[in-house]
Amino acid sequence: MSINTASGDMGQREEVAQQAGRLLYHGSAPCNYNRPSSYSNGGTAPIYGSTTLSSSVAYETNPCPCCKPMSTSRRAFCIMVTFDVLLLFVLWILYTQLSTYAGTFSKRFMKEVEGYDFKQSLFDIPLLSFWRFLVLIFSYAALNMRNPWLVALTTFGTCVFLLIKVFMFNFDEDLASGQNTLDYVLIIISFVVAWVECWFLDFRVLPEEKRAEIEARGAVLDERTSLLGRGDHRSIGGTETNDQYYSPYHTPHDSDDEEGSKRYHSIPPSSVNSRASSRNSNQLSLGSQEQEYQRLAGGLFATAMQLYENEEGWKLDNGDEKDLSSGCVYSKQLPELGGKFFKLKGVVNTTPQKGFEEIYFNTEDSPAWNPTVLESKILQVIDEHTDVLYNIAAEAAGGMVSARDFVNLRCWKEVNGMMISVSKGVTHPDMPEQKKYVRGENGPGCWVFKAVPGDPNKSEFVWIVNTNLKGWLPTYLIDQAMSGVLMDFFKYFNQRINYLNTLES
């Protein structure tokens, strides 16, 4: 057997192995669609290198449309569209039954259909609903479209048609007697349902699917990280420097404890985490900028401790003060410091050090367990205690407040057994404002972990935040969004802590 033949057999076996792996991972056989070029001709991709890793992740987390199962929210949307056409058809039948002009039901039915007159018949209302049904089911069920333009088109068309119908239709003369009011009901319900469908798709279905896609992509990256390393930040033959690595506070040196290594990850290296690479990439002298960040962080501690220690004036907005295990949210107006502040207070089942390590040093992993955050990334490590963080907050208040992104300076220290982190919104050259998101701005805030007296395995957690969400948002909506986000965060954080505690037991 020739060498070429043996190589061909090896390539075929490798291809079969890859298909089997994909089958086990996705739970179904993959379709025959184009793979990344790095995998063409049965070749294998190198482990390291940013292009290769991102391509492979995109391939595994973005299968062809025929492989993607329909999400629960999209199925609910399709059911809603089907209910729309059935409801209006039934209401039209009832309207025909109750019509006052003479004749049997069959004659009235034929008058509505065969003798259709725009000014006299309402048969066009169920037909309009059926048109919406065909367009929306074909687009969002059969084609699995991921943009809202077609539902916006059907809603706009429905509104125009109904407005013309209202002005030109001859309503029953006996309406005043109350014998048949279904003509009004048909038109109003058709108008309302069209807008409900538009809202549900744009503010529920599409955002939920986008969030699920981001979480799935993050999960694939997390699974690959422990096996392949941070391939998106390192290349073969690259030079490694000591400042690329950063270990969490209280992480045992040279620890061989496997459980500990899984729990406390180091901050992932990045091209901007290193000062040298940051200078090269931005062509700027970051020495003065780093000093300014350090000066600002130092001043934040005095403000944060003032906010934390002053218990007067806080008003309870959400939660039960008698049950801090579920968390409470307070608010307070402080115009001299930037406006309205919110304070989350609760008790978690962990020590201050472990709770702080999870929430601060593992912040880039938080989107995996915290749905209120879509993305979290450290832009630059300033020193052992200070860094600049970029994160994207998910939409809030039922979709009425869209996703926001933030760039925050963070600094931490331990004071009398308390773990304290202060933060404030800043600008950073590596993350200008993004077109996709409204850039929010955070005022001075802090996280504080303090041991519960008499129970060192429990901590009192306090988060004080002041934020400007920007955009044209009413005050009550901002208050509702902030209170809900803080309570949701504490619920997810508690679940995360309890899960980590089960791993240790």
Side-chain angles (χ1 to χ4, degrees):
M1 180 179 293
S2 66
I3 295 177
N4 292 336
T5 304
S7 299
D9 292 341
M10 181 66 71
Q12 291 178 358
R13 288 197 297 270
E14 190 172 302
E15 178 67 21
V16 171
Q18 290 178 358
Q19 291 180 1
R22 289 194 296 270
L23 178 62
L24 291 173
Y25 182 80
H26 292 291
S28 60
C31 297
N32 294 324
Y33 57 95
N34 294 330
R35 296 179 296 170
S37 58
S38 58
Y39 285 89
S40 61
N41 300 325
T44 58
I47 291 179
Y48 300 105
S50 58
T51 304
T52 301
L53 181 60
S54 60
S55 299
S56 63
V57 170
Y59 162 63
E60 294 189 6
T61 59
N62 293 282
C64 65
C66 62
C67 289
K68 290 183 178 179
M70 185 180 293
S71 66
T72 303
S73 57
R74 189 176 289 257
R75 285 198 300 271
F77 174 76
C78 293
I79 293 173
M80 180 186 298
V81 173
T82 306
F83 175 76
D84 169 21
V85 67
L86 294 177
L87 174 65
L88 290 177
F89 182 76
V90 170
L91 288 176
W92 174 75
I93 293 292
L94 294 175
Y95 164 78
T96 306
Q97 289 274 27
L98 297 175
S99 295
T100 56
Y101 47 81
T104 62
F105 168 73
S106 60
K107 289 183 179 180
R108 294 194 296 268
F109 183 84
M110 297 309 295
K111 179 177 176 62
E112 282 278 321
V113 179
E114 288 189 351
Y116 170 77
D117 184 350
F118 186 78
K119 297 181 179 181
Q120 299 289 337
S121 175
L122 288 178
F123 181 61
D124 46 17
I125 299 297
L127 286 182
L128 180 65
S129 176
F130 186 68
W131 167 72
R132 289 199 303 269
F133 170 81
L134 291 178
V135 173
L136 297 178
I137 291 296
F138 179 74
S139 302
Y140 297 107
L143 298 183
N144 201 24
M145 292 183 62
R146 290 177 173 264
N147 64 68
W149 299 117
L150 277 176
V151 72
L153 175 65
T154 58
T155 303
F156 176 77
T158 298
C159 291
V160 171
F161 180 87
L162 292 178
L163 285 174
I164 298 174
K165 187 77 172 179
V166 166
F167 283 105
M168 298 187 64
F169 184 73
N170 294 326
F171 291 94
D172 292 339
E173 295 180 357
D174 60 344
L175 180 62
S177 63
Q179 295 183 20
N180 191 0
T181 59
L182 285 179
D183 40 13
Y184 277 102
V185 173
L186 267 171
I187 294 175
I188 292 174
I189 288 183
S190 181
F191 181 84
V192 171
V193 169
W195 277 101
V196 169
E197 291 169 351
C198 183
W199 172 84
F200 190 79
L201 182 82
D202 199 15
F203 289 91
R204 289 291 185 184
V205 178
L206 300 182
E208 285 185 10
E209 292 181 344
K210 181 64 175 178
R211 185 157 55 247
E213 184 178 346
I214 292 174
E215 291 175 358
R217 187 180 298 118
V220 171
L221 281 172
D222 288 343
E223 291 180 1
R224 298 300 184 270
T225 300
S226 59
L227 296 176
L228 305 181
R230 289 283 177 176
D232 51 339
H233 304 302
R234 198 172 89 182
S235 59
I236 295 177
T239 302
E240 299 180 0
T241 60
N242 292 332
D243 58 359
Q244 286 179 315
Y245 301 97
Y246 185 67
S247 298
Y249 180 73
H250 278 297
T251 300
H253 180 63
D254 294 334
S255 173
D256 293 327
D257 179 37
E258 183 179 358
E259 194 63 48
S261 65
K262 289 181 180 178
R263 178 171 179 180
Y264 304 119
H265 301 288
S266 62
I267 293 178
S270 169
S271 60
V272 295
N273 285 350
S274 166
R275 290 199 192 101
S277 60
S278 184
R279 289 191 183 97
N280 293 335
S281 62
N282 295 297
Q283 301 297 319
L284 294 172
S285 176
L286 294 183
S288 59
Q289 185 182 37
E290 291 173 352
Q291 292 175 8
E292 178 63 22
Y293 283 148
Q294 291 174 333
R295 185 195 65 79
L296 178 60
L300 284 175
F301 273 100
T303 304
M305 294 310 296
Q306 178 186 354
L307 290 169
Y308 175 72
E309 293 173 354
N310 188 355
E311 296 286 345
E312 297 180 358
W314 291 100
K315 182 185 70 173
L316 181 64
D317 286 351
N318 202 342
D320 184 2
E321 291 182 298
K322 297 179 180 179
D323 182 19
L324 289 180
S325 62
S326 299
C328 294
V329 175
Y330 305 83
S331 64
K332 182 179 183 179
Q333 288 287 353
L334 293 171
E336 68 278 10
L337 293 179
K340 191 168 189 177
F341 282 74
F342 293 86
K343 178 169 72 171
L344 169 66
K345 185 176 182 180
V347 174
V348 291
N349 296 319
T350 188
T351 64
Q353 288 74 21
K354 289 182 179 179
F356 186 79
E357 285 172 354
E358 183 60 34
I359 201 175
Y360 188 93
F361 293 110
N362 292 342
T363 185
E364 290 190 328
D365 297 330
S366 63
W369 56 265
N370 180 14
T372 65
V373 176
L374 300 181
E375 183 179 343
S376 184
K377 179 178 176 60
I378 294 175
L379 297 178
Q380 183 180 3
V381 173
I382 308 301
D383 57 36
E384 184 182 0
H385 293 267
T386 313
D387 59 30
V388 179
L389 176 73
Y390 173 75
N391 56 30
I392 303 174
E395 62 180 19
M400 290 185 286
V401 179
S402 62
R404 258 61 172 172
D405 67 344
F406 300 86
V407 177
N408 294 317
L409 173 68
R410 306 189 308 167
C411 187
W412 70 272
K413 65 169 61 174
E414 183 176 10
V415 179
N416 298 327
M418 296 188 301
M419 304 302 299
I420 303 172
S421 166
V422 297
S423 64
K424 190 178 188 300
V426 294
T427 59
H428 196 278
D430 287 334
M431 189 54 67
E433 293 192 14
Q434 308 295 303
K435 293 182 179 180
K436 291 178 58 179
Y437 302 105
V438 177
R439 174 63 53 85
E441 182 179 349
N442 284 327
C446 63
W447 288 334
V448 179
F449 284 86
K450 182 177 70 173
V452 173
D455 193 345
N457 292 322
K458 288 188 176 182
S459 304
E460 179 189 85
F461 170 65
V462 173
W463 180 11
I464 298 176
V465 59
N466 164 251
T467 186
N468 182 359
L469 296 179
K470 303 295 182 69
W472 299 94
L473 296 174
T475 302
Y476 80 91
L477 194 59
I478 296 176
D479 294 347
Q480 177 185 351
M482 288 302 302
S483 179
V485 167
L486 291 175
M487 291 296 289
D488 287 344
F489 166 81
F490 189 73
K491 178 183 69 175
Y492 297 128
F493 183 51
N494 246 332
Q495 292 173 355
R496 176 65 174 174
I497 292 298
N498 293 334
Y499 169 73
L500 295 176
N501 287 339
T502 59
L503 294 181
E504 292 181 350
S505 60

